[in-house]
Amino acid sequence: MNAGSRVAASKGVSFSKSPVLAVRLPTWRSRVVLFVLFAAFAALAGRALWLQGLSTQFLQKQGEIRYARTIELPATRGKITDRNGQVLASSIPVKAIWAIPDDVLQAPPEKLRELARLLDMSEAELRKKLDSDRNFVYLKRQVEQDVADQIAKLKIDGIDTRKEYKRFYPQGEVMTHVVGFTNVEDVGQESMELAQQKNLVGQTGSRRVIKDRLGHIVEDIGAKHEPHDGKDLVLSVDSKIQYIAFTQLKGAVEKFKAKAGAAVVLDVHTGEVLALANYPSYDPNDRRALTGAQLRNRVMTDSFEPGSTLKPITVALALDKGKVSPHTAIETGNGRLQILDRTITDTKAHGVITVQQIVEMSSNIGTSKIALSMPAQDMWEMFTKVGFGQQPKWGFPGAVAGRVRPYKSWRPVEQATMSYGNGISVSLIQLARSYLMFARDGDTIPLTFQKSTALPAGQPIIKPKTAREMREMLEMVVSGKDGTAKQARIPGYRVGGKTGTAYKVENGRYAMPRKYIGTFVGIVPLSAPRFVIAVMIDEPTQGGHFGGQVAAPTFAKVAENALRASNVPPDSTVTEIVAPADTGSEAM
C-alpha cells in the first residue's frame, strides 16, 4: 500500500484507483447546503402553519365557492284578474337555458347546430355567446318547457336549465294599457304590473347545494327557505266593458283615419275605472316590434286642451255662485267678441240666447261673458277642486297633472279662453272625473283601479240643485234641436254630455297646418247615472274633425253596449237614431 492510499484510509474516505473520483469539497460548502435545506423546511413549516392555522376560514370559503351554490327558488308572481275573476295576467313555468362555455364547445358540430335551432338563433350567434371567459352564461331566458325538453335530449355536457316564470296575458292588446307587462326578470314595467310590483312579486326562497363540474346537484348542504308567492290583484276593470271600449275605439280610429284614440269608463257610484282603452295598442305577449306610439297610455299620460267640454264646468260655477240661472238671457251679438287685441268667435251669430242654449249650441262668446262676470280666482279654485293641474293619486304610474296657470297671471282674454277649454291642459281621465260632480249631485270621489267593496265618501264641489240643472243642459246638447252631439243619442236611454274640439298643440304652439282633437264626455243613463264615459280622437282626417262627428258616435256605441252588458234598464222610450248627416259642429 502506497503512502497516498494509507492517508485516505486513515481519514475514513473510500477511495478509488481513479484520481478523478477523489473527494476535494471544502467543509464550509456542505454547511451552506445544510443551512439552505433547513431554511426551506422551516419556510414550508411556517407556510403550513399559516394556511392550516390562521387562514382556515378564508381557504374553506374559497373552496366552497368552487363547489357550493345558493340556488334561488323563484316565487310565483300573483295573478291579476278583473272584477269578475277573469284572469288578465298569470305566470307560467318556463326554463332559462345556461351553459359552461368550455364544456359546450366540446360538443359535436351537429349538436351545436341543433341547439342553435331550438334556441331560435344562428349557429354563429350561439358560438358568440359561448365565446366567453366566464364559466356561466345564459343562452336564452324564458324558454318554453317543450323546447327545454328537446334541448335536454341532446345531452350536451355543460348545458343546464333553471326554473323561472313567464308572464302570460290572455287578453293581449285589449287590456295591456291597464295591466302592463313585466321584463325577463319578472319586474313590472308598465301600468298595474309596475304600480303593484311589491305586492305581486312575492318573496323568493333559496337552497344551498353542492354541484359537480358539470353543474349537476350532488348534495343539499344548507337550510332551504321556501318562497312565498305574490298576492293576487283584483282590478276594477270589467273585461266585457273593456273589450267593448277597445273594439269601438279601434273602429273609430280606423274609420276616421285618426292618429290615435282613447276612451275611459267610470262607475259613478264607486269611482272604479271599468275600462281604459287606447289605440294603437300592442300585444304584451310579443313585444319585439313595440313602438313608442303603441306604448303610450293616452288616457293617463297625454294632456291636451279640452275645448268645449270645459264649458259646463264654467257654467256650473256661475250657477252655483248665483251669477246666472239656466234661463238667463245673454247677448252674443253677431258671433264676434273683441277683447283688447283678440277676437273670440262662434260658428255663427246666435244673438240673444239663454245659458241653457249657450251650453246646447256651444257658444264661446256666451261662455266667455259668463266667465268674465266672475273673479278669476273662483274659476281657478273650481278647476283645482275637480283635479285639473293636480298630481293624480290613483296609484297608476305616469298619470300627468295637466296645467292650470295661477289665476294672478290671467289676463281677461285668457280667462275668457280658459272658460271654453283653451289655454288649459288636462288628461282624458281627469276630464272624465270632473263630470262625476254632475252625475253625483254635486260631489266627486277618488278614482280607483282596484275593485272597491265600499262606497267612498264624496267631496262636495257644487250644490245638488246646480248638478241637476247641469244634467238637464247636458241632455239638451244631445237631444236638443240645436245640440252639437246628436250622434251621441242611444235608443232607449237618456244621455247627457258635451262635445269638445280643440286645436292640437305641438312644441308649445298650435300645429300648422291645423290638427284637431275631438272629444266627448257623457253621462248615462241620465235619470239614474251609472257611467261617465269620455272619448278622445286624435287627429281625425276623414269624416270630419269635430267632437260631435268623431267622438260622440264612438261614445254612443261604447255606452249602448256597456249598458246592455251591465243589464242597466232603459230609461226612455225614444228610439230615434240620428242620421249620419248631422255635423256636430261647435265653436272652437
Side-chain angles (χ1 to χ4, degrees):
M1 181 179 294
N2 58 33
S5 299
R6 287 196 298 269
V7 171
S10 66
K11 292 183 178 180
V13 177
S14 300
F15 63 92
S16 172
K17 290 182 179 182
S18 173
V20 177
L21 300 177
V23 178
R24 294 178 183 156
L25 293 175
T27 305
W28 65 267
R29 186 170 181 178
S30 62
R31 290 174 180 175
V32 168
V33 172
L34 181 63
F35 176 78
V36 169
L37 291 173
F38 175 80
F41 278 110
L44 288 173
R47 180 61 175 168
L49 178 63
W50 173 262
L51 293 177
Q52 297 183 39
L54 302 179
S55 301
T56 303
Q57 187 175 2
F58 170 77
L59 293 174
Q60 287 178 342
K61 182 179 179 181
Q62 292 300 309
E64 189 175 307
I65 288 174
R66 287 157 175 77
Y67 64 79
R69 298 286 186 272
T70 297
I71 299 178
E72 184 181 275
L73 303 177
T76 304
R77 192 177 180 87
K79 294 194 298 292
I80 299 178
T81 67
D82 81 341
R83 62 185 304 105
N84 300 312
Q86 185 77 30
V87 176
L88 307 179
S90 62
S91 296
I92 57 176
V94 289
K95 295 288 187 178
I97 309 298
W98 62 270
I100 301 173
D102 290 342
D103 293 338
V104 176
L105 288 172
Q106 303 301 318
E110 61 273 12
K111 286 193 175 184
L112 289 181
R113 282 193 295 271
E114 180 63 13
L115 176 61
R117 185 189 69 79
L118 291 171
L119 293 175
D120 195 23
M121 61 178 67
S122 66
E123 186 177 353
E125 186 179 357
L126 174 61
R127 289 186 178 276
K128 184 177 180 180
K129 284 180 175 287
L130 294 171
D131 185 17
S132 173
D133 295 332
R134 295 179 297 171
N135 60 2
F136 174 97
V137 293
Y138 277 117
L139 298 182
K140 192 171 184 179
R141 305 286 300 275
Q142 297 190 344
V143 175
E144 300 296 337
Q145 185 63 53
D146 59 336
V147 176
D149 292 341
Q150 293 180 59
I151 291 174
K153 290 179 181 178
L154 294 176
K155 295 182 179 180
I156 299 176
D157 289 342
I159 293 291
D160 207 343
T161 63
R162 174 179 176 269
K163 183 179 179 181
E164 59 184 11
Y165 293 94
K166 180 180 180 181
R167 209 65 165 157
F168 176 64
Y169 303 95
Q171 298 203 22
E173 65 175 357
V174 173
M175 196 69 71
T176 188
H177 286 105
V178 180
V179 178
F181 60 87
T182 62
N183 64 9
V184 71
E185 300 292 344
D186 214 22
V187 177
Q189 300 297 294
E190 288 289 334
S191 304
M192 297 309 292
E193 288 277 32
L194 172 59
Q196 295 295 317
Q197 167 69 15
K198 289 184 179 180
N199 292 325
L200 288 167
V201 71
Q203 185 176 355
T204 59
S206 63
R207 176 185 172 198
R208 199 72 178 145
V209 300
I210 293 176
K211 286 191 173 184
D212 64 14
R213 188 179 65 85
L214 299 178
H216 302 137
I217 295 175
V218 176
E219 182 184 356
D220 284 326
I221 60 172
K224 180 178 180 181
H225 301 285
E226 295 293 339
H228 297 284
D229 293 341
K231 297 178 181 178
D232 292 344
L233 177 65
V234 181
L235 299 184
S236 60
V237 294
D238 186 312
S239 292
K240 292 180 293 184
I241 298 177
Q242 175 72 20
Y243 179 79
I244 291 166
F246 178 81
T247 53
Q248 296 299 334
L249 181 68
K250 179 180 179 181
V253 171
E254 294 173 349
K255 175 181 178 181
F256 300 114
K257 296 191 181 302
K259 179 180 180 181
V264 62
V265 181
L266 306 181
D267 188 300
V268 168
H269 303 299
T270 63
E272 293 171 298
V273 178
L274 300 176
L276 184 156
N278 293 274
Y279 192 80
S281 186
Y282 62 96
D283 183 356
N285 299 303
D286 184 4
R287 302 188 298 273
R288 288 174 294 184
L290 179 61
T291 66
Q294 294 172 308
L295 188 61
R296 280 171 61 183
N297 189 338
R298 289 172 168 80
V299 172
M300 304 292 298
T301 64
D302 282 18
S303 59
F304 58 94
E305 291 190 343
S308 296
T309 55
L310 211 65
K311 290 174 182 174
I313 297 176
T314 303
V315 173
L317 175 62
L319 290 173
D320 216 49
K321 296 290 184 181
K323 297 291 184 180
V324 296
S325 73
H327 304 292
T328 300
I330 294 180
E331 174 63 69
T332 62
N334 62 355
R336 298 176 67 84
L337 175 64
Q338 194 74 25
I339 301 180
L340 298 179
D341 60 337
R342 295 281 297 276
T343 301
I344 293 174
T345 62
D346 281 340
T347 54
K348 63 180 180 180
H350 297 305
V352 178
I353 55 177
T354 65
V355 171
Q356 178 171 298
Q357 290 173 311
I358 287 173
V359 177
E360 179 183 348
M361 299 176 181
S362 197
S363 169
N364 289 343
I365 295 174
T367 309
S368 298
K369 287 191 170 184
I370 292 174
L372 293 172
S373 70
M374 300 180 290
Q377 182 176 353
D378 288 352
M379 285 181 57
W380 181 86
E381 289 178 351
M382 171 63 98
F383 292 157
T384 56
K385 280 182 181 179
V386 298
F388 298 158
Q390 309 299 304
Q391 186 60 49
K393 298 178 181 179
W394 305 325
F396 200 102
V400 296
R403 183 171 181 265
V404 179
R405 292 191 295 108
Y407 65 88
K408 290 183 179 180
S409 66
W410 295 4
R411 296 179 298 164
V413 67
E414 291 172 330
Q415 182 177 351
T417 57
M418 284 187 194
S419 72
Y420 57 82
N422 289 2
I424 181 174
S425 67
V426 301
S427 67
L428 188 66
I429 196 167
Q430 284 179 317
L431 186 60
R433 180 176 180 262
S434 70
Y435 273 58
L436 284 177
M437 66 177 176
F438 303 138
R440 289 179 52 86
D441 284 343
D443 69 5
T444 191
I445 52 178
L447 300 186
T448 178
F449 286 86
Q450 298 186 44
K451 185 176 181 179
S452 177
T453 56
L455 296 179
Q459 175 192 1
I461 305 293
I462 56 178
K463 300 170 186 175
K465 179 175 179 291
T466 302
R468 290 191 293 270
E469 290 173 342
M470 287 307 305
R471 285 204 296 270
E472 292 177 4
M473 294 187 202
L474 293 174
E475 185 171 20
M476 292 305 296
V477 175
V478 177
S479 62
K481 65 181 181 65
D482 295 316
T484 59
K486 294 177 183 177
Q487 293 193 63
R489 295 177 184 175
I490 303 173
Y493 293 93
R494 292 175 57 197
V495 179
K498 186 69 187 76
T499 55
T501 307
Y503 296 128
K504 190 171 182 180
V505 177
E506 292 182 342
N507 300 320
R509 296 187 176 187
Y510 291 119
M512 293 298 292
R514 294 296 191 195
K515 298 178 182 179
Y516 302 92
I517 294 178
T519 55
F520 184 84
V521 187
I523 303 169
V524 289
L526 213 57
S527 59
R530 175 70 182 277
F531 303 132
V532 169
I533 302 174
V535 176
M536 181 269 288
I537 305 297
D538 184 9
E539 291 186 36
T541 59
Q542 179 175 293
H545 61 266
F546 289 107
Q549 295 172 313
V550 296
T554 308
F555 159 87
K557 292 175 182 177
V558 173
E560 181 179 10
N561 287 283
L563 288 165
R564 291 176 178 172
S566 302
N567 296 316
V568 178
D571 65 340
S572 172
T573 58
V574 177
T575 58
E576 176 187 357
I577 298 178
V578 180
D582 176 54
T583 62
S585 62
E586 61 203 80
M588 299 190 57

